[in-house]
């Protein structure tokens, strides 16, 4: 089982890029004001490794072993499928609507077209609705929403185990064989057949200098970061965690901020930076005041789900 650890990295990375802004531009460093829509939606749906191979399905499951680009998600109604689709889009997305069909024209960091996402009600037997992603290099091409009656059953004992031990707010001890993710995690989203569970651990230290534990390759994707932020702001989740767990789990006070990097293929590498103020869900880029408080903490994020008679964590 391959583990994937996401780190919402320290502001030290921002500081290193900003203080030499003029020199860095000559070395290929480019500030961008938006991210790739394709990368965002893929970050929501799957986790990939450095080679671009899918290592985990963050929503639903791949039921077609011959086609890893296809995901299935169980729903009760078309409306439920539509609501999930809209939930997975970034806030800036403005899909056009024609009856029961939604079309989102994606653009890259330079606002150039990079493909299309289409959601439509399905007339095919056994399928309620589908999402089709038409874009060069996409890892996910189809999301099929199918009736719960067609969904394969996991081990009932394992599902009961998740309910008893991986409930919202549960403390989970993770022992990562490389040590990076070892520690006590808190479940912020329970597992469902539609969306996998999420647990996070906040580091005990703040990071204020360039070399304090920064590793760009282990930075969280922006889709993952926004998912965590959105989960924390459903209902009173954020207040619940802060009030119940407090300093014991290093939950941030209202001034702590979290950010992540988005890498692009330039030889210098640092292209897009993004952080989230978890207390409000407010998101910023490098040019939007990232230095108002140059102290950040890392957040380790794991997804989890039942897999037969075991629990898969990635």
């Amino acid at each position: 089982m391959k583990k994937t650890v996401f780190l919402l990295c320290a502001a030290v990375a921002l500081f290193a890029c900003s203080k030499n802004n003029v020199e860095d531009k000559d070395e290929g460093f480019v500030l961008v004001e938006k991210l790739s829509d394709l990368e965002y939606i893929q970050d929501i749906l799957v986790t990939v490794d450095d080679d671009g191979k899918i290592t985990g399905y963050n929503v639903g499951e791949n039921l077609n072993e011959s086609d890893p680009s296809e995901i299935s998600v169980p729903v009760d109604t078309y409306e439920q499928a539509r609501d999930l689709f809209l939930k997975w889009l970034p806030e800036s997305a403005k899909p056009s609507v024609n009856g029961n069909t939604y079309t989102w024209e994606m653009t890259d960091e330079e606002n150039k077209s990079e493909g299309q996402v289409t959601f439509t009600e399905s007339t095919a037997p056994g399928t309620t609705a589908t999402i089709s992603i038409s874009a060069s290099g996409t890892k996910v091409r189809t999301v099929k929403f199918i009736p719960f009656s067609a969904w394969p059953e996991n081990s009932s004992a394992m599902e009961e185990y998740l309910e008893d031990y991986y409930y919202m707010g549960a403390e989970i001890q993770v022992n990562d064989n490389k040590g990076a993710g070892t520690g006590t995690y808190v479940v912020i989203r329970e597992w469902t057949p539609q969306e996998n569970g999420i647990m996070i651990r906040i580091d005990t230290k703040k990071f204020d200098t360039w070399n304090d534990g920064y590793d760009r390759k282990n930075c969280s994707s922006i889709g993952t970061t926004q998912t965590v932020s959105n989960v924390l702001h459903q209902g009173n989740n954020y207040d619940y965690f802060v009030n119940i767990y407090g300093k014991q789990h290093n939950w941030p006070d209202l001034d702590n901020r979290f950010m992540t990097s988005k890498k692009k293929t330039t030889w210098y590498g640092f292209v897009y930076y993004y952080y989230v103020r978890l207390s409000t869900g407010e998101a910023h880029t490098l040019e939007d005041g990232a230095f108002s408080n140059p102290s950040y903490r890392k957040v380790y994020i794991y997804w989890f789900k039942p897999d037969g008679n075991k629990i898969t964590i990635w």
Side-chain angles (χ1 to χ4, degrees):
M1 179 179 68
K2 179 176 175 58
K3 174 272 305 173
T4 303
V5 177
F6 293 104
L7 302 178
L8 303 187
C9 288
V12 299
L14 293 177
F15 177 73
C17 291
S18 178
K19 69 177 182 178
N20 296 315
N21 194 40
V22 175
E23 293 84 356
D24 289 344
K25 283 183 178 179
D26 294 334
E27 296 179 7
F29 177 64
V30 180
L31 289 176
V32 297
E33 303 203 352
K34 76 175 293 292
L35 65 150
S36 159
D37 289 333
L38 176 60
E39 290 186 13
Y40 184 99
I41 192 65
Q42 288 194 153
D43 290 343
I44 296 292
L45 301 176
V46 295
T47 298
V48 299
D49 60 19
D50 290 340
D51 297 323
K53 181 181 178 181
I54 295 175
T55 57
Y57 293 88
N58 303 336
V59 304
E61 188 55 87
N62 170 242
L63 300 181
N64 182 0
E65 294 183 0
S66 65
D67 185 3
S69 72
E70 179 183 295
I71 303 175
S72 294
V73 179
V75 294
D76 289 313
T77 64
Y78 160 81
E79 288 75 19
Q80 191 177 60
R82 179 200 59 202
D83 291 347
L84 283 169
F85 165 70
L86 295 175
K87 174 184 177 182
W88 296 336
L89 297 183
E91 293 182 2
S92 60
K94 304 295 182 184
S96 60
V97 183
N98 182 9
N100 287 336
T101 298
Y102 292 69
T103 303
W104 176 39
E105 300 291 343
M106 296 185 293
T107 56
D108 62 14
E109 295 92 339
E110 298 177 349
N111 283 312
K112 295 180 180 178
S113 176
E114 63 174 350
Q116 188 179 79
V117 177
T118 304
F119 170 86
T120 186
E121 188 172 16
S122 176
T123 58
T127 306
T128 303
T130 59
I131 297 174
S132 299
I133 301 177
S134 302
S136 176
T138 182
K139 303 302 178 186
V140 179
R141 297 192 178 279
T142 307
V143 178
K144 292 184 176 180
F145 293 95
I146 65 177
F148 266 100
S149 59
W151 190 251
E153 292 186 7
N154 281 291
S155 163
S156 59
M158 188 52 60
E159 291 193 18
E160 290 177 5
Y161 181 83
L162 282 175
E163 291 178 2
D164 291 341
Y165 295 98
Y166 283 71
Y167 54 86
M168 166 91 146
E171 299 178 22
I172 307 296
Q173 183 65 35
V174 174
N175 295 307
D176 179 75
N177 58 6
K178 294 183 180 179
T182 296
T184 302
Y185 286 68
V186 175
V187 174
I188 64 169
R189 186 173 78 186
E190 298 176 4
W191 170 84
T192 70
Q194 296 170 331
E195 297 179 304
N196 291 315
I198 301 174
M199 55 183 168
I200 73 174
R201 177 173 68 87
I202 300 176
D203 207 307
T204 58
K205 298 187 299 182
K206 288 186 178 181
F207 296 85
D208 299 290
T209 60
W210 169 251
N211 291 318
D212 275 352
Y214 174 72
D215 184 350
R216 180 173 60 86
K217 290 184 179 180
N218 289 334
C219 285
S220 172
S221 63
I222 190 160
T224 300
T225 308
Q226 196 62 62
T227 297
V228 169
S229 178
N230 291 342
V231 168
L232 286 175
H233 286 276
Q234 291 174 2
N236 297 316
N237 285 2
Y238 184 82
D239 291 338
Y240 169 82
F241 287 119
V242 171
N243 293 334
I244 299 298
Y245 291 98
K247 294 181 179 179
Q248 178 182 353
H249 288 279
N250 305 301
W251 285 91
D253 60 33
L254 297 183
D255 291 329
N256 285 333
R257 295 154 172 82
F258 292 73
M259 55 77 65
T260 182
S261 80
K262 197 65 190 170
K263 60 184 180 181
K264 184 185 170 97
T265 307
T266 62
W267 75 271
Y268 186 77
F270 300 109
V271 177
Y272 188 89
Y273 283 93
Y274 173 95
Y275 67 93
V276 175
R277 189 188 314 226
L278 289 187
S279 60
T280 63
E282 180 183 6
H284 294 283
T285 60
L286 180 59
E287 296 177 298
D288 289 333
F291 294 95
S292 56
N293 183 342
S295 293
Y296 296 75
R297 298 180 193 265
K298 295 177 183 176
V299 175
Y300 297 81
I301 305 170
Y302 278 106
W303 305 80
F304 65 89
K305 68 176 182 181
D307 183 10
N309 292 316
K310 62 182 180 182
I311 295 173
T312 298
I313 298 176
W314 70 95

